[in-house]
């Protein structure tokens, strides 16, 4: 589904990713772990197509297409979803309006008609309930005044509504208490299917207790230095990155 | 013929018009007009050297011979009959209720030449009064429309007696043509009374709009104002409010949607005259390529005005690098136990928010439009009257749809 080859990415002229290789098959869940500054967030932003993340070499193929040729909104249209480490506050745009605009934009990209208001409302309420989100929050401006946990939950509601083919979740577990973590994990697990895949970017092994990955990779200084099964996460937790890398 | 830049042209115009103006033949009214004309003559026409005129070019006064133009603003009143609400034309009020009107008409805005000119030349206007304790449900709407090449000096008086309440909506529209509208609104809010005052300045594309509003708020009185500026080539809104009694509250909000060839200048002066009063001001501007806007807000806290709580915020969105915006918060504080905060931002659309929206599949143009709309919606939240808010929003959406290079 996703094939990253020799990816080099620079931010502000500084090279952060230095030849990263990764391949993700449909139906699998991958976790990338690594210390601060290893390039975890850079990878997620580069995949989503953020402006200031300059790809200087390498290629990314997604569902047979050159992902790097696509604009960020086209990548989303193709089924890529980035769960933000720091979800952005947007005063003046209600969460509901944001979700509707987003879903319909993606549907239009795929040649589908806009979803009618009644069906949409039912869908959002159902997804929000499944993720324990208070329906009142849907009326509030996107992430404005939300706690850290509520923001992450909101990311999960967006993901549930958009039903991405590939979800890249950048430290979705950070700042969550154990109850919220379980809810978020349920949200991710609910989307697991043979057609979909997920890439979890995380600092800690904690999330992986609830979303059990098929593969774990260690990112260190801009490259994947080690890959393994779910037991690698435990080893990292125990011995630290330096020993494993 | 004398040019408009020449004060004498205005004095001549005044002399020939005075016999037809409201209050003609009534000594007290004639005296007020004489004194106003003299004050105007003493001050002279505004120049850019004046602090308040720093950001508006008064050149429009030179370009057109306004002194010789006749009045051309139609005033349409939309108000349902409601107990306690009294509305008269300026002419009727001056003729029939001189005592009540005199004190209001005597009020001055010192140092403002165009206000004095308005008072001297005032040819039309409304006098709105709400009786003690009457809370008027249905808003009073005043629609002004200017035609052709005209110069109109309109003078409204709004008087709210104790514990009364009213909503006033002012709308200014107009055709093409270099018409000048120079309106003044004098407001008096008695103890415990509340006025919601909404204004949409949507004058014609060549129009000049120079408005002055002076408000006095007594104890426990409340004044909420929202000025929505979208029209005219050159527009100024000068609002001066004095909080004169304990627990008086003021909310001054506004939004300018400004495009190429337009200049909007929103000026406020808030005078906290006594202790325990509060004011909250927030203005926003959305500026397209080549647009020019200014927001000037002065807050005075007098020596006795302890426990004053004054907030000021100016936020501007520049849709193009060629737009120009000036913000000037100004504080004059003579008391020592006060809370005054002010902030100003000028920026482009938030890049993080844009990327966030794009990452959710929203195309760049739609994402930009959504953020501009959000910036505007957020400001309209200050409008308590839902139908006003909806009307302004619908207008703003049409404005956005008409902008190229959003």
């Amino acid at each position: 589904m996703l094939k990253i080859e020799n990816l080099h990415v620079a931010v502000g002229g500084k090279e952060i990713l230095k030849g990263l290789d990764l391949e993700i098959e449909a139906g699998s869940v991958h976790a990338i772990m690594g210390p601060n500054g290893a390039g975890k967030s850079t990878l997620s932003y580069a995949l989503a197509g953020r402006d200031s993340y300059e790809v200087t070499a390498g290629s990314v193929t997604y569902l047979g297409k050159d992902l790097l040729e696509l604009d960020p909104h086209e990548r989303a249209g193709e089924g890529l979803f980035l769960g933000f480490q720091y979800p952005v506050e947007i005063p003046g745009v209600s969460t509901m309006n944001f979700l509707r605009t987003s879903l319909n934009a993606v549907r239009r990209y795929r040649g589908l008609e806009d979803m009618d208001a009644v069906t949409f409302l039912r869908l959002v309420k159902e997804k929000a309930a499944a993720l324990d989100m208070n329906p009142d929050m849907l009326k509030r401006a996107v992430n404005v005044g939300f706690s850290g946990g509520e923001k992450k939950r909101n990311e999960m509601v967006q993901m549930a509504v958009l039903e991405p083919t590939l979800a890249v979740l950048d430290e979705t577990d950070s700042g969550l208490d154990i109850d919220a973590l379980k809810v978020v994990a349920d949200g991710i697990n609910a989307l697991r299917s043979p057609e979909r895949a997920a890439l979890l970017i995380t600092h800690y092994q904690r999330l992986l207790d609830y979303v059990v990955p098929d593969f774990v990779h260690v990112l260190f200084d801009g490259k994947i230095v080690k890959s393994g099964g779910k037991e690698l996460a435990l080893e990292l937790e125990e011995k630290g990155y330096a020993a494993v890398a | 013929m004398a040019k408009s830049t020449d004060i004498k042209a205005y004095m001549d115009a005044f002399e020939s018009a005075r016999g037809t103006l409201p209050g003609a033949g009534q000594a007290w009214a004639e005296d007020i007009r004489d004194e106003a004309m003299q004050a105007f003559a003493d001050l002279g026409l505004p120049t850019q050297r004046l602090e308040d005129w720093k950001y508006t070019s008064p050149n429009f006064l030179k370009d057109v011979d306004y002194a010789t133009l006749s009045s051309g603003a139609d005033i349409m009143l939309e108000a349902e009959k409601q107990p306690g609400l009294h509305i008269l034309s300026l002419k009727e009020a001056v003729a029939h209720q001189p005592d009540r009107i005199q004190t209001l008409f005597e009020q001055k805005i010192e140092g403002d030449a165009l206000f004095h000119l308005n008072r001297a030349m005032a040819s039309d206007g409304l006098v709105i009064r709400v009786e003690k304790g009457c809370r008027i449900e249905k808003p009073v709407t005043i629609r002004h429309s200017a035609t052709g090449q005209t110069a109109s000096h309109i003078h409204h008086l709004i008087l709210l007696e104790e514990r009364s309440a009213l909503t006033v909506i002012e709308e200014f529209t107009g055709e093409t043509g270099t018409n000048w509208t120079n309106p003044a609104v004098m407001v008096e809010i008695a103890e415990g009374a509340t006025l919601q005052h909404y204004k949409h300045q949507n004058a014609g594309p060549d129009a000049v709009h120079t408005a002055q509003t002076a408000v006095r708020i007594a104890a426990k009185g409340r004044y909420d104002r929202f000025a929505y500026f979208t029209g005219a080539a050159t527009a100024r809104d000068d609002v001066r409010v004095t909080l004169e009694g304990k627990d008086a509250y003021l909310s001054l909000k506004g939004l300018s949607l400004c495009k190429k060839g337009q200049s909007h200048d929103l000026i406020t002066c808030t005078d906290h005259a006594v202790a325990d009063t509060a004011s909250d001001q927030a203005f926003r501007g959305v500026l397209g390529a080549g647009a020019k806007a200014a927001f000037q807000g002065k807050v005075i806290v007098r020596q006795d005005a302890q426990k004053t709580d004054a907030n000021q915020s100016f936020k501007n969105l520049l849709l193009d690098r060629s737009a120009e915006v000036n913000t000037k918060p100004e504080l004059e504080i003579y008391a020592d136990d006060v809370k005054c905060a002010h902030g100003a931002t000028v920026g482009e659309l938030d890049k993080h928010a844009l990327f966030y929206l794009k990452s959710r599949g929203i195309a760049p143009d739609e994402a930009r439009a959504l953020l501009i709309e959000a910036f505007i919606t957020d400001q309209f939240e200050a409008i308590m009257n839902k139908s006003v808010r909806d009307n302004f929003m619908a207008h703003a959406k049409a404005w956005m749809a008409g902008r190229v290079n959003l």
Side-chain angles (χ1 to χ4, degrees):
Chain A
M1 174 183 287
L2 181 77
K3 191 169 187 185
I4 304 174
E5 286 179 295
N6 188 34
L7 186 66
H8 289 253
V9 176
V11 183
K14 186 171 182 256
E15 189 167 63
I16 307 288
L17 294 185
K18 303 169 180 172
L20 184 139
D21 295 292
L22 180 69
E23 197 165 348
I24 296 177
E25 298 293 340
S28 63
V29 171
H30 290 241
I32 288 191
M33 303 181 74
N36 281 332
K40 300 194 299 297
S41 287
T42 300
L43 173 61
S44 66
Y45 284 140
L47 289 177
R50 190 165 196 153
D51 270 349
S52 42
Y53 291 73
E54 195 196 345
V55 176
T56 52
S59 67
V60 180
T61 314
Y62 169 70
L63 296 173
K65 288 187 177 150
D66 180 355
L67 187 74
L68 303 176
E69 280 296 303
L70 301 175
D71 283 338
H73 69 285
E74 295 169 329
R75 299 183 193 196
E78 295 288 343
L80 178 76
F81 178 88
L82 170 63
F84 282 61
Q85 182 180 3
Y86 302 109
V88 182
E89 297 186 3
I90 311 183
V93 178
S94 77
T95 304
M96 196 64 112
N97 184 24
F98 171 55
L99 286 168
R100 183 169 47 228
T101 308
S102 168
L103 177 64
N104 285 333
V106 166
R107 286 174 68 90
R108 257 174 265 152
Y109 182 87
R110 294 171 191 167
L112 299 170
E113 286 190 4
D114 283 11
M115 187 178 272
D116 71 86
V118 178
T119 315
F120 171 76
L121 199 65
R122 200 182 306 134
L123 174 79
V124 169
K125 283 193 170 160
E126 178 200 315
K127 301 293 187 190
L131 287 156
D132 266 353
M133 188 200 237
N134 183 340
D136 284 345
M137 297 186 76
L138 295 168
K139 293 181 197 147
R140 288 167 50 187
V142 178
N143 294 323
V144 177
F146 287 25
S147 71
E150 286 167 340
K151 285 179 182 172
K152 295 297 174 72
R153 216 176 282 234
N154 193 10
E155 293 291 290
M156 290 301 101
V157 172
Q158 293 165 40
M159 184 174 78
V161 168
L162 294 175
E163 297 189 315
T165 310
L166 175 64
V168 178
L169 304 178
D170 187 5
E171 303 212 10
T172 296
D173 52 335
S174 65
L176 296 184
D177 61 34
I178 195 71
D179 293 328
L181 185 73
K182 281 181 186 163
V183 169
V184 163
D186 288 346
I188 301 169
N189 286 326
L191 277 181
R192 289 183 95 150
S193 84
E195 302 82 44
R196 304 180 204 280
L199 177 60
L200 312 176
I201 293 173
T202 181
H203 242 331
Y204 307 105
Q205 176 268 336
R206 198 174 64 146
L207 174 69
L208 308 181
D209 286 342
Y210 301 98
V211 184
V212 181
D214 301 300
F215 301 95
V216 174
H217 311 276
V218 181
L219 181 63
F220 198 87
D221 194 24
K223 281 182 191 175
I224 294 206
V225 294
K226 190 165 186 174
S227 297
K230 59 177 189 254
E231 63 288 344
L232 180 57
L234 293 166
E235 194 186 333
L236 283 168
E237 190 87 343
E238 199 181 308
K239 299 184 184 160
Y241 291 112
V244 175
Chain B
M1 186 192 286
K3 290 281 288 176
S4 277
T5 45
D6 187 348
I7 291 296
K8 189 165 181 308
Y10 286 94
M11 298 188 80
D12 292 347
F14 172 61
E15 286 308 327
S16 62
R18 63 183 307 160
T20 64
L21 298 173
Q26 281 171 277
W28 68 269
E30 298 268 7
D31 285 352
I32 288 173
R33 290 190 186 273
D34 277 332
E35 175 238 293
M37 200 61 207
Q38 194 52 53
F40 167 72
D42 290 347
L43 286 163
L45 288 167
T47 70
Q48 225 153 352
R49 285 190 300 275
L50 291 170
E51 193 63 23
D52 278 357
W53 283 82
K54 206 170 156 183
Y55 304 113
T56 306
S57 166
N59 280 344
F60 68 88
L61 291 165
K62 293 182 191 145
D63 297 343
V64 177
D65 211 3
Y66 287 111
T68 59
L69 299 178
S70 57
S71 181
D74 285 334
I75 301 177
M76 278 236 323
L77 172 69
E78 272 175 41
E80 281 183 36
K81 244 185 145 57
Q82 293 165 89
L85 172 65
H86 302 277
I87 305 178
L88 294 173
S89 72
L90 188 64
K91 198 166 206 149
E92 291 167 321
V94 168
H96 302 304
Q97 299 182 341
D99 296 348
R100 211 187 281 281
I101 298 313
Q102 191 170 348
T103 44
L104 271 171
F105 208 28
E106 271 170 359
Q107 272 191 57
K108 285 175 233 176
I109 302 177
E110 296 293 348
D112 190 324
L114 296 186
F115 172 73
H116 291 299
L117 182 64
N118 167 289
R119 229 159 45 113
M121 297 290 288
S123 57
D124 206 351
L126 295 169
V127 177
I128 302 170
R129 180 172 68 90
V130 182
E131 276 176 46
K132 206 181 210 172
C134 292
R135 307 188 79 83
I136 306 301
E137 288 282 321
K138 305 240 169 64
V140 170
T141 303
I142 311 168
R143 298 189 202 281
H144 311 76
S145 77
T147 49
Q149 224 187 32
T150 50
S152 307
H153 304 279
I154 297 157
H155 199 96
H156 298 305
L157 304 172
I158 303 173
L159 176 59
L160 267 65
E161 294 180 358
E162 288 80 358
R163 298 179 317 284
S164 66
L166 181 68
T167 299
V168 172
I169 302 161
E170 274 188 282
E171 184 189 84
F172 292 86
T173 56
E175 300 166 0
T176 49
T178 49
N179 44 70
W180 177 26
T181 307
N182 183 43
V185 183
M186 309 302 284
V187 179
E188 220 172 275
I189 298 172
E191 196 168 320
T194 301
L195 179 64
Q196 284 180 40
H197 188 179
Y198 303 110
K199 169 172 175 174
H200 184 187
Q201 184 280 109
N202 191 23
D206 319 308
V208 173
H209 179 94
T210 52
Q212 302 94 29
T213 303
V215 184
R216 292 166 56 195
I217 314 173
K220 292 184 187 141
R222 182 182 170 116
Y223 180 59
D224 285 276
R225 186 177 199 271
F226 195 105
Y228 177 41
F229 266 52
T230 58
T234 302
R236 284 167 59 87
D237 195 43
D238 189 330
V239 183
R240 305 183 189 209
V241 185
T242 311
L243 296 112
E244 296 183 340
K246 188 172 166 3
D247 295 324
Y249 177 80
L250 165 68
S251 162
L252 284 180
K253 307 281 163 81
L255 171 70
S256 152
L257 302 183
C258 200
K259 57 181 195 275
K260 198 176 177 69
Q262 288 187 303
S263 157
H264 288 168
D265 195 347
L266 283 80
I267 304 145
T268 65
C269 178
T270 305
D271 189 344
H272 292 267
V274 299
D276 298 305
T277 59
S279 64
D280 185 19
Q281 294 184 51
F283 287 86
R284 288 191 182 186
V286 178
L287 287 89
K292 196 167 169 278
F295 299 90
Q296 308 181 64
K298 185 175 186 173
V299 174
I300 305 167
V301 181
R302 305 279 172 193
Q303 201 164 359
D304 295 332
Q306 301 295 356
K307 307 281 181 200
T308 287
D309 189 346
N311 275 304
Q312 248 188 335
S313 136
F314 303 105
K315 289 184 182 172
N316 290 286
L317 195 54
L318 270 51
L319 303 180
D320 189 279
R321 294 279 166 97
S322 64
E324 181 190 328
V325 67
N326 288 287
T327 56
K328 201 181 77 177
E330 202 183 332
L331 292 171
E332 261 181 44
I333 303 175
Y334 303 102
D336 48 25
D337 183 14
V338 300
K339 233 166 66 184
C340 293
H342 64 84
T345 61
V346 174
E348 298 170 7
L349 289 170
D350 181 358
K351 286 195 172 65
H352 299 290
L354 268 178
F355 176 65
Y356 192 56
L357 294 172
K358 287 191 278 188
S359 79
R360 296 298 179 254
I362 301 168
D365 285 353
E366 197 181 357
R368 288 172 66 82
L370 195 62
L371 289 182
I372 296 166
E373 190 182 320
F375 184 80
I376 292 169
T377 308
D378 209 31
Q379 183 67 353
F380 283 151
E381 290 292 312
I383 299 173
M384 286 182 281
N385 185 295
K386 188 176 179 302
S387 85
V388 171
R389 192 168 60 227
D390 291 348
N391 287 341
F392 284 7
M393 195 64 227
H395 179 275
K397 280 189 179 173
W399 185 90
M400 282 191 294
R403 297 273 67 66
V404 251
N405 303 326
L406 269 183

